Structures are given as C-alpha cells and as structure tokens.
Amino acid sequence: MNYFLAKTDPETYSLEDLEREKKTSWDGVTNPQAVRAIREMKPGDRVFIYHSGGNSAVVGLATVRSEARTDPKNPKSAVVDFEFTGRLEPPTTLAEIKQSGKFDDWALVRQGRLSTMAAPENFVAWMHARYPKAKI
C-alpha cells in the first residue's frame, strides 16, 4: 500500500462533502507533478485529505478505489476515485508538521502550492503514532 496527500479548498470540496457522498472522482489537478502522483495511485492506497487555506491541516483519510485514468475534461490531467475512510480528530495542522522538523524535505513543506503528492514513510509512521485508532 502506498500513501498520498491530496489538498482541497474546503470551500470548493471538503472532507464533509466526501463523507456525505461516500465516494468522489478526484479531478481538476493540472500541475504535472501532481498529475504524476495521481497516475501512481492504485486501488487500496490511502490518501491523507488536507484542507488548504486559512487553517491548513490534514483532516481525514480516503482510500483509492480505482485505477487512475485520463481526465475526460483535460487530456493532460488524470482522475481517480476516492472513498471516504475517516476523520482525523483533532486535525494535524501544517504548523505542527513544520514544527516537528521531520519533514523539511517533503513537498508539502517545500512546495506549498503542490496539490497532490506521495506521502513519505516517516510521515505515515508519525501520523499512525498520532492516531493509533485511525485506519491509516
């Protein structure tokens, strides 16, 4: 199983929306590096859902439920289906992630505008320790 992080503006599409709908097609990604991350996703992989904007934080989890495919609206992009897995309470803020000093070389910290990326193993382990009962 691989792990990823996907950012969303909660005013556009929030974890609450995903929880209510149960599943969604993750689309609208145009950055080539982020599109590559989507193309790497496989069914069963886990995704940390991150709310960007005012209170930037990892707020929940999703599971990849499809192979990545070309976005019918944009042939340079890709889409994949996510299924709601759970909330992370309390959310883990970007400030906490940065303050840990453990992830300075990760794209989340280095490339603030990148919307979708692989999550490093040390972040997955750190999150598992923070949320031992979550389905990470």
Side-chain angles (χ1 to χ4, degrees), residues 57-130:
V58 179
V59 295
L61 293 163
T63 302
V64 176
R65 290 296 181 212
S66 72
E67 294 288 336
R69 58 198 181 277
T70 300
D71 186 338
K73 298 177 208 163
N74 179 354
K76 292 183 179 180
S77 187
V79 298
V80 69
D81 296 334
F82 287 172
E83 180 177 53
F84 177 79
T85 304
R87 293 176 166 274
L88 294 175
E89 296 286 348
T92 296
T93 66
L94 179 59
E96 291 172 306
I97 292 167
K98 288 180 174 181
Q99 288 168 359
S100 76
K102 298 176 185 219
F103 313 108
D104 293 342
D105 60 341
W106 186 23
L108 179 66
V109 175
R110 288 184 301 105
Q111 296 175 266
R113 304 214 20 103
L114 188 62
S115 67
T116 309
M117 64 200 74
E121 288 180 23
N122 64 336
F123 179 75
V124 175
W126 188 71
M127 291 296 280
H128 188 70
R130 290 176 66 92

Coordinates of all heavy atoms in Angstrom, one line a residue, residues 57-130:
A57 N -4.6 22.0 7.2 CA -4.4 20.8 8.1 C -4.8 19.5 7.4 O -5.7 19.6 6.5 CB -5.3 21.0 9.4
V58 N -4.2 18.4 7.9 CA -4.7 17.1 7.5 C -5.9 16.8 8.3 O -5.8 16.8 9.5 CB -3.6 16.1 7.7 CG1 -4.1 14.7 7.3 CG2 -2.3 16.4 6.9
V59 N -7.1 16.6 7.6 CA -8.3 16.5 8.3 C -9.0 15.1 8.3 O -9.9 14.8 9.0 CB -9.3 17.5 7.8 CG1 -8.9 18.9 8.2 CG2 -9.6 17.4 6.4
G60 N -8.5 14.2 7.3 CA -9.1 13.0 7.2 C -8.4 12.0 6.2 O -7.3 12.3 5.8
L61 N -9.0 10.9 6.0 CA -8.4 9.8 5.2 C -9.4 9.4 4.1 O -10.6 9.3 4.4 CB -8.1 8.6 6.0 CG -6.9 8.8 7.0 CD1 -7.0 7.7 8.1 CD2 -5.6 8.9 6.3
A62 N -8.9 9.0 3.0 CA -9.6 8.4 1.9 C -8.9 7.2 1.4 O -7.7 7.0 1.7 CB -9.9 9.3 0.8
T63 N -9.6 6.3 0.7 CA -9.0 5.1 0.1 C -9.2 5.2 -1.4 O -10.3 5.6 -1.8 CB -9.6 3.8 0.7 OG1 -9.5 3.8 2.1 CG2 -9.0 2.6 0.1
V64 N -8.1 4.9 -2.1 CA -8.2 4.9 -3.6 C -9.1 3.7 -4.0 O -8.8 2.6 -3.6 CB -6.8 4.9 -4.3 CG1 -6.9 4.8 -5.8 CG2 -6.0 6.1 -3.8
R65 N -10.1 3.9 -4.9 CA -11.0 2.9 -5.3 C -11.0 2.6 -6.8 O -11.8 1.8 -7.3 CB -12.4 3.2 -4.8 CG -12.6 3.1 -3.3 CD -12.3 1.7 -2.9 NE -12.5 1.5 -1.4 CZ -11.8 0.7 -0.7 NH1 -10.9 -0.1 -1.3 NH2 -12.1 0.6 0.6
S66 N -10.1 3.2 -7.5 CA -10.0 2.9 -9.0 C -8.6 3.1 -9.4 O -7.7 3.7 -8.7 CB -10.9 3.9 -9.7 OG -10.4 5.2 -9.7
E67 N -8.3 2.7 -10.6 CA -7.1 3.0 -11.3 C -7.2 4.4 -11.8 O -8.3 4.9 -12.0 CB -6.8 2.1 -12.5 CG -6.6 0.6 -12.2 CD -5.3 0.3 -11.6 OE1 -4.3 1.1 -11.8 OE2 -5.1 -0.7 -10.9
A68 N -6.1 5.1 -11.9 CA -6.1 6.5 -12.4 C -6.4 6.4 -13.9 O -6.1 5.4 -14.6 CB -4.7 7.1 -12.2
R69 N -7.1 7.4 -14.4 CA -7.5 7.5 -15.8 C -7.4 8.9 -16.3 O -7.4 9.8 -15.5 CB -8.9 6.9 -16.0 CG -9.9 7.7 -15.2 CD -11.2 6.8 -15.1 NE -12.2 7.6 -14.3 CZ -12.3 7.6 -13.0 NH1 -11.5 6.9 -12.3 NH2 -13.3 8.3 -12.4
T70 N -7.3 9.0 -17.6 CA -7.2 10.4 -18.2 C -8.5 11.2 -17.9 O -9.6 10.6 -18.0 CB -6.9 10.3 -19.7 OG1 -5.7 9.6 -19.9 CG2 -6.8 11.7 -20.3
D71 N -8.3 12.4 -17.5 CA -9.5 13.3 -17.2 C -10.2 13.6 -18.5 O -9.5 14.1 -19.4 CB -9.0 14.5 -16.5 CG -10.1 15.4 -16.1 OD1 -11.2 15.3 -16.6 OD2 -9.9 16.3 -15.2
P72 N -11.4 13.2 -18.7 CA -12.1 13.5 -20.0 C -12.2 15.0 -20.3 O -12.4 15.4 -21.4 CB -13.5 12.9 -19.8 CG -13.7 12.6 -18.3 CD -12.3 12.6 -17.7
K73 N -12.1 15.8 -19.3 CA -12.2 17.3 -19.5 C -10.8 17.9 -19.8 O -10.8 19.0 -20.3 CB -12.7 18.0 -18.2 CG -14.1 17.6 -17.8 CD -14.5 18.3 -16.6 CE -15.5 17.4 -15.8 NZ -15.6 17.8 -14.4
N74 N -9.7 17.1 -19.6 CA -8.4 17.7 -19.8 C -7.5 16.5 -20.0 O -7.0 15.8 -19.1 CB -7.9 18.5 -18.6 CG -6.5 19.0 -18.8 OD1 -5.8 18.7 -19.7 ND2 -6.1 19.9 -17.8
P75 N -7.1 16.2 -21.3 CA -6.2 15.1 -21.6 C -4.9 15.1 -20.9 O -4.2 14.1 -20.9 CB -6.2 15.0 -23.1 CG -6.6 16.4 -23.6 CD -7.5 17.0 -22.5
K76 N -4.4 16.3 -20.4 CA -3.1 16.4 -19.8 C -3.3 16.1 -18.3 O -2.3 16.0 -17.6 CB -2.6 17.8 -19.9 CG -2.1 18.1 -21.4 CD -1.5 19.4 -21.5 CE -1.1 19.7 -22.9 NZ -0.5 21.0 -23.0
S77 N -4.5 15.8 -17.8 CA -4.7 15.6 -16.4 C -5.2 14.2 -16.2 O -5.3 13.4 -17.1 CB -5.8 16.6 -15.9 OG -5.9 16.5 -14.5
A78 N -5.4 13.8 -14.9 CA -5.8 12.5 -14.6 C -6.8 12.6 -13.4 O -6.8 13.5 -12.6 CB -4.6 11.6 -14.1
V79 N -7.7 11.6 -13.3 CA -8.6 11.5 -12.2 C -8.5 10.1 -11.6 O -8.1 9.1 -12.2 CB -10.1 11.8 -12.7 CG1 -10.2 13.2 -13.2 CG2 -10.5 10.7 -13.7
V80 N -9.0 10.0 -10.4 CA -9.0 8.7 -9.6 C -10.2 8.8 -8.7 O -10.6 9.9 -8.3 CB -7.7 8.5 -8.9 CG1 -7.4 9.4 -7.8 CG2 -7.5 7.1 -8.5
D81 N -10.7 7.7 -8.3 CA -11.9 7.7 -7.4 C -11.4 7.4 -6.0 O -10.6 6.5 -5.7 CB -12.9 6.6 -7.8 CG -13.5 6.8 -9.1 OD1 -13.6 8.0 -9.5 OD2 -13.9 5.8 -9.8
F82 N -11.9 8.3 -5.0 CA -11.6 8.2 -3.6 C -12.9 7.8 -2.9 O -14.0 8.2 -3.3 CB -11.2 9.5 -3.0 CG -9.8 10.0 -3.4 CD1 -9.5 11.3 -3.0 CD2 -8.9 9.3 -4.1 CE1 -8.2 11.8 -3.3 CE2 -7.7 9.7 -4.4 CZ -7.3 11.0 -4.0
E83 N -12.7 7.0 -1.8 CA -13.8 6.7 -0.9 C -13.5 7.2 0.5 O -12.3 7.0 1.0 CB -14.0 5.2 -0.9 CG -15.1 4.7 0.0 CD -15.3 3.2 0.0 OE1 -14.4 2.5 0.2 OE2 -16.5 2.8 -0.3
F84 N -14.4 7.8 1.1 CA -14.2 8.3 2.5 C -13.8 7.2 3.4 O -14.4 6.1 3.4 CB -15.5 9.0 3.0 CG -15.4 9.5 4.4 CD1 -14.8 10.7 4.7 CD2 -15.9 8.7 5.5 CE1 -14.7 11.1 6.0 CE2 -15.8 9.2 6.8 CZ -15.2 10.4 7.1
T85 N -12.8 7.4 4.2 CA -12.3 6.4 5.2 C -12.5 6.8 6.6 O -12.9 6.0 7.5 CB -10.8 6.0 4.9 OG1 -10.7 5.6 3.6 CG2 -10.3 4.9 5.8
G86 N -12.3 8.1 6.9 CA -12.5 8.6 8.2 C -11.9 10.0 8.5 O -11.2 10.5 7.6
R87 N -12.3 10.5 9.6 CA -11.8 11.8 10.0 C -10.6 11.6 10.9 O -10.4 10.6 11.6 CB -12.9 12.6 10.9 CG -14.1 12.9 10.1 CD -15.1 13.6 11.0 NE -16.1 14.2 10.2 CZ -16.0 15.5 9.7 NH1 -15.0 16.2 10.0 NH2 -17.0 16.0 9.0
L88 N -9.7 12.7 11.0 CA -8.6 12.7 11.9 C -8.9 13.8 12.9 O -8.9 15.0 12.5 CB -7.3 12.9 11.2 CG -6.9 11.7 10.3 CD1 -5.6 12.1 9.5 CD2 -6.7 10.5 11.0
E89 N -9.2 13.4 14.1 CA -9.6 14.4 15.2 C -8.5 14.3 16.3 O -8.3 13.2 16.8 CB -10.9 14.1 15.7 CG -12.1 14.2 14.8 CD -12.5 15.6 14.4 OE1 -12.0 16.5 15.1 OE2 -13.2 15.8 13.5
P90 N -8.0 15.5 16.7 CA -8.1 16.7 16.0 C -7.2 16.7 14.7 O -6.3 15.9 14.6 CB -7.5 17.7 17.0 CG -6.5 16.9 17.8 CD -7.1 15.5 17.8
P91 N -7.5 17.7 13.8 CA -6.7 17.7 12.6 C -5.2 18.0 12.9 O -4.9 18.6 14.0 CB -7.3 18.9 11.8 CG -8.7 19.0 12.3 CD -8.6 18.6 13.8
T92 N -4.3 17.6 12.1 CA -2.9 17.9 12.2 C -2.6 19.1 11.3 O -2.7 19.0 10.1 CB -2.1 16.7 11.8 OG1 -2.3 15.6 12.7 CG2 -0.6 17.0 11.9
T93 N -2.2 20.2 11.9 CA -2.0 21.4 11.2 C -0.7 21.4 10.5 O 0.2 20.7 10.9 CB -2.1 22.6 12.1 OG1 -1.0 22.6 13.0 CG2 -3.4 22.7 12.9
L94 N -0.6 22.3 9.5 CA 0.6 22.4 8.7 C 1.7 23.0 9.7 O 2.9 22.6 9.6 CB 0.4 23.4 7.6 CG 1.7 23.7 6.7 CD1 2.3 22.4 6.2 CD2 1.4 24.7 5.6
A95 N 1.3 23.8 10.6 CA 2.2 24.4 11.6 C 2.9 23.2 12.4 O 4.1 23.2 12.7 CB 1.6 25.4 12.5
E96 N 2.0 22.3 12.9 CA 2.5 21.1 13.6 C 3.5 20.3 12.8 O 4.5 19.8 13.3 CB 1.4 20.2 14.1 CG 0.5 20.9 15.2 CD -0.7 20.1 15.5 OE1 -1.5 19.7 14.6 OE2 -0.9 19.7 16.7
I97 N 3.1 20.1 11.5 CA 4.0 19.3 10.6 C 5.4 20.0 10.5 O 6.4 19.4 10.6 CB 3.3 19.1 9.3 CG1 2.1 18.2 9.4 CG2 4.3 18.5 8.2 CD1 1.1 18.2 8.3
K98 N 5.3 21.3 10.2 CA 6.6 22.1 10.1 C 7.4 22.1 11.4 O 8.6 21.9 11.4 CB 6.3 23.5 9.6 CG 5.9 23.6 8.2 CD 5.6 25.0 7.8 CE 5.3 25.1 6.3 NZ 5.1 26.5 5.9
Q99 N 6.7 22.3 12.5 CA 7.4 22.4 13.8 C 8.0 21.1 14.2 O 9.0 21.1 15.0 CB 6.4 22.8 14.9 CG 6.0 24.3 14.8 CD 4.8 24.7 15.7 OE1 4.3 23.8 16.4 NE2 4.5 25.9 15.6
S100 N 7.6 20.0 13.7 CA 8.2 18.7 14.0 C 9.6 18.6 13.5 O 10.4 17.9 14.1 CB 7.4 17.5 13.4 OG 7.6 17.4 12.1
G101 N 9.9 19.4 12.4 CA 11.2 19.3 11.9 C 11.6 18.0 11.2 O 12.7 17.9 10.7
K102 N 10.6 17.1 11.0 CA 10.9 15.8 10.4 C 10.6 15.8 8.9 O 11.0 14.8 8.3 CB 10.0 14.8 11.1 CG 10.3 14.6 12.6 CD 9.3 13.6 13.2 CE 9.5 13.6 14.7 NZ 9.4 12.3 15.3
F103 N 10.0 16.8 8.4 CA 9.5 16.7 7.0 C 10.0 17.9 6.1 O 9.3 18.2 5.1 CB 8.0 16.6 7.0 CG 7.5 15.6 8.0 CD1 6.9 16.0 9.1 CD2 7.7 14.2 7.8 CE1 6.4 15.0 10.1 CE2 7.3 13.3 8.7 CZ 6.6 13.7 9.9
D104 N 11.1 18.5 6.5 CA 11.6 19.7 5.8 C 11.9 19.4 4.3 O 11.8 20.3 3.5 CB 12.8 20.2 6.5 CG 12.5 20.8 7.8 OD1 11.3 21.0 8.1 OD2 13.5 21.0 8.6
D105 N 12.1 18.1 4.0 CA 12.4 17.8 2.6 C 11.2 17.3 1.8 O 11.3 17.0 0.6 CB 13.5 16.8 2.5 CG 13.2 15.5 3.1 OD1 12.3 15.4 4.0 OD2 13.8 14.5 2.8
W106 N 10.0 17.3 2.4 CA 8.8 16.8 1.8 C 8.2 18.0 1.0 O 8.2 19.1 1.4 CB 7.8 16.3 2.8 CG 6.6 15.7 2.3 CD1 6.4 15.1 1.1 CD2 5.4 15.5 3.0 NE1 5.1 14.6 1.0 CE2 4.5 14.8 2.2 CE3 4.9 15.9 4.3 CZ2 3.2 14.5 2.5 CZ3 3.6 15.5 4.7 CH2 2.8 14.9 3.8
A107 N 7.5 17.6 -0.1 CA 6.9 18.6 -1.0 C 5.8 19.4 -0.2 O 5.7 20.6 -0.6 CB 6.3 17.9 -2.2
L108 N 5.2 18.9 0.7 CA 4.1 19.6 1.5 C 4.8 20.9 2.1 O 4.1 21.9 2.2 CB 3.5 18.8 2.5 CG 2.4 19.5 3.4 CD1 1.2 19.9 2.6 CD2 2.0 18.6 4.6
V109 N 6.0 20.7 2.6 CA 6.7 21.8 3.3 C 7.4 22.7 2.3 O 7.4 23.9 2.4 CB 7.6 21.2 4.4 CG1 8.5 22.3 5.0 CG2 6.8 20.5 5.4
R110 N 8.0 22.1 1.3 CA 8.9 22.8 0.3 C 8.1 23.4 -0.8 O 8.5 24.5 -1.3 CB 9.9 21.8 -0.3 CG 11.0 21.4 0.5 CD 12.0 20.6 -0.2 NE 11.5 19.4 -0.8 CZ 11.2 19.2 -2.1 NH1 11.5 20.1 -3.0 NH2 10.7 18.0 -2.5
Q111 N 7.0 22.8 -1.3 CA 6.2 23.3 -2.4 C 4.8 23.5 -2.0 O 3.9 22.7 -2.3 CB 6.3 22.3 -3.6 CG 7.6 22.0 -4.1 CD 7.6 20.9 -5.1 OE1 7.9 19.8 -4.8 NE2 7.3 21.2 -6.4
G112 N 4.5 24.6 -1.4 CA 3.3 24.9 -0.8 C 2.1 24.9 -1.7 O 1.0 24.6 -1.3
R113 N 2.3 25.0 -3.0 CA 1.2 25.1 -4.0 C 0.9 23.7 -4.6 O 0.0 23.6 -5.4 CB 1.5 26.1 -5.0 CG 1.7 27.5 -4.4 CD 1.2 28.7 -5.0 NE 0.2 28.7 -6.0 CZ -1.1 29.0 -5.9 NH1 -1.5 29.3 -4.7 NH2 -1.9 29.0 -6.9
L114 N 1.7 22.7 -4.4 CA 1.5 21.4 -5.0 C 0.3 20.8 -4.3 O 0.2 20.6 -3.1 CB 2.8 20.6 -4.8 CG 2.8 19.2 -5.5 CD1 2.7 19.4 -7.1 CD2 4.0 18.4 -5.2
S115 N -0.6 20.3 -5.2 CA -1.9 19.9 -4.6 C -2.0 18.4 -4.3 O -2.8 18.0 -3.5 CB -3.1 20.2 -5.6 OG -2.9 19.4 -6.8
T116 N -1.2 17.6 -4.9 CA -1.3 16.1 -4.7 C 0.1 15.6 -4.8 O 0.9 15.9 -5.6 CB -2.1 15.4 -5.8 OG1 -3.4 16.1 -5.9 CG2 -2.4 14.0 -5.5
M117 N 0.5 14.7 -3.8 CA 1.8 14.2 -3.7 C 1.9 12.9 -2.9 O 1.0 12.6 -2.2 CB 2.7 15.2 -3.0 CG 2.3 15.5 -1.5 SD 2.8 17.0 -0.8 CE 1.8 18.2 -1.6
A118 N 3.0 12.2 -3.1 CA 3.2 11.0 -2.3 C 3.5 11.4 -0.9 O 4.1 12.5 -0.6 CB 4.4 10.2 -2.9
A119 N 3.1 10.6 0.1 CA 3.4 10.9 1.5 C 4.6 10.0 1.9 O 4.5 8.8 1.7 CB 2.2 10.6 2.4
P120 N 5.6 10.5 2.5 CA 6.8 9.7 2.8 C 6.5 8.8 4.0 O 5.6 9.1 4.8 CB 7.9 10.7 3.2 CG 7.1 12.0 3.6 CD 5.8 12.0 2.8
E121 N 7.2 7.7 4.1 CA 7.0 6.7 5.1 C 7.1 7.2 6.5 O 6.3 6.9 7.4 CB 8.0 5.5 4.9 CG 7.7 4.7 3.7 CD 8.7 3.5 3.6 OE1 9.4 3.1 4.6 OE2 8.9 3.0 2.4
N122 N 8.1 8.2 6.7 CA 8.2 8.7 8.1 C 7.0 9.6 8.5 O 6.6 9.6 9.6 CB 9.5 9.5 8.2 CG 9.6 10.7 7.4 OD1 9.0 10.9 6.3 ND2 10.5 11.6 7.8
F123 N 6.3 10.2 7.5 CA 5.1 10.9 7.8 C 4.0 10.0 8.1 O 3.2 10.2 9.1 CB 4.7 11.8 6.6 CG 3.4 12.6 6.9 CD1 3.4 13.7 7.7 CD2 2.2 12.2 6.3 CE1 2.2 14.4 8.0 CE2 1.0 12.9 6.5 CZ 1.0 14.0 7.4
V124 N 3.9 8.9 7.4 CA 2.8 7.9 7.6 C 3.0 7.3 9.0 O 2.0 7.2 9.8 CB 2.9 6.7 6.6 CG1 1.9 5.6 6.9 CG2 2.6 7.3 5.2
A125 N 4.2 7.0 9.4 CA 4.5 6.4 10.8 C 4.2 7.5 11.8 O 3.6 7.1 12.9 CB 6.0 6.0 10.9
W126 N 4.5 8.7 11.6 CA 4.2 9.8 12.5 C 2.7 10.0 12.7 O 2.3 10.1 13.8 CB 4.9 11.1 12.0 CG 4.9 12.3 12.9 CD1 5.7 12.4 14.0 CD2 4.2 13.5 12.7 NE1 5.4 13.7 14.5 CE2 4.5 14.4 13.7 CE3 3.3 13.9 11.7 CZ2 4.0 15.6 13.9 CZ3 2.7 15.2 11.8 CH2 3.1 16.0 12.9
M127 N 2.0 9.9 11.6 CA 0.5 10.1 11.7 C -0.1 8.8 12.4 O -1.0 9.0 13.2 CB -0.1 10.3 10.3 CG 0.3 11.6 9.7 SD -0.4 13.0 10.6 CE -2.1 13.0 10.0
H128 N 0.5 7.7 12.1 CA -0.1 6.5 12.8 C 0.1 6.6 14.3 O -0.8 6.2 15.1 CB 0.6 5.2 12.2 CG 0.0 3.9 12.7 ND1 -1.2 3.5 12.3 CD2 0.4 3.0 13.6 CE1 -1.5 2.4 12.9 NE2 -0.5 2.1 13.7
A129 N 1.3 7.1 14.7 CA 1.5 7.3 16.2 C 0.5 8.3 16.8 O 0.1 8.2 17.9 CB 3.0 7.7 16.4
R130 N 0.2 9.3 16.0 CA -0.7 10.4 16.5 C -2.2 9.9 16.5 O -2.9 10.3 17.4 CB -0.7 11.6 15.5 CG 0.6 12.4 15.6 CD 0.6 13.5 14.6 NE -0.3 14.5 14.9 CZ -0.1 15.6 15.6 NH1 1.0 15.8 16.1 NH2 -1.1 16.5 15.8

